[in-house]
Amino acid sequence: MNKVKLSGILFFAALALSCSRVESDARKAAKYTDESIEKSLELKFEEAKKLYDKSQKIIGKYDSTNEESEKFFKHYREYRDGEKTVNQK
């Protein structure tokens, strides 16, 4: 019985950490995308490209079609659309 409880606790802990990581990645990618757009508008294209590349590196981790990527893109759209607050400088 103790092994079953321990397995359950570890499963839910891993699930919670995974969700937290996915949302954190979405927030960072949205932040880098927003900052990249701002730098482009300021005609600072090299800085814009570096920020864009950072966002694409994160987004690339979620390219496959699975539950984790669906969660990522849901959160990413929310942050990009301004439904959630993205911490900016």
Side-chain angles (χ1 to χ4, degrees):
M1 187 66 170
N2 288 336
K3 288 183 180 180
V4 173
K5 286 182 182 178
L6 180 59
S7 295
I9 291 170
L10 291 175
F11 172 77
F12 285 111
L15 183 63
L17 288 175
S18 174
C19 291
S20 176
R21 178 183 50 82
V22 169
E23 187 169 356
S24 175
D25 282 351
R27 183 182 311 115
K28 286 179 190 175
K31 176 182 174 228
Y32 291 142
T33 301
D34 288 342
E35 289 177 356
S36 174
I37 292 167
E38 288 177 24
K39 293 299 179 184
S40 292
L41 294 173
E42 296 170 3
L43 305 179
K44 296 179 180 178
F45 298 117
E46 287 189 33
E47 291 177 47
K49 182 177 180 342
K50 288 178 185 177
L51 291 163
Y52 175 79
D53 290 343
K54 285 183 178 183
S55 72
Q56 290 303 300
K57 185 175 180 179
I58 295 169
I59 291 169
K61 295 186 331 187
Y62 298 96
D63 262 351
S64 63
T65 55
N66 59 35
E67 187 175 324
E68 202 172 61
S69 66
E70 288 177 24
K71 288 179 185 176
F72 171 83
F73 285 108
K74 176 186 176 287
H75 290 298
Y76 178 77
R77 281 189 302 272
E78 289 172 348
Y79 284 109
R80 284 285 300 129
D81 292 343
E83 292 178 24
K84 293 184 177 182
T85 304
V86 177
N87 294 330
Q88 295 186 4
K89 296 179 188 177

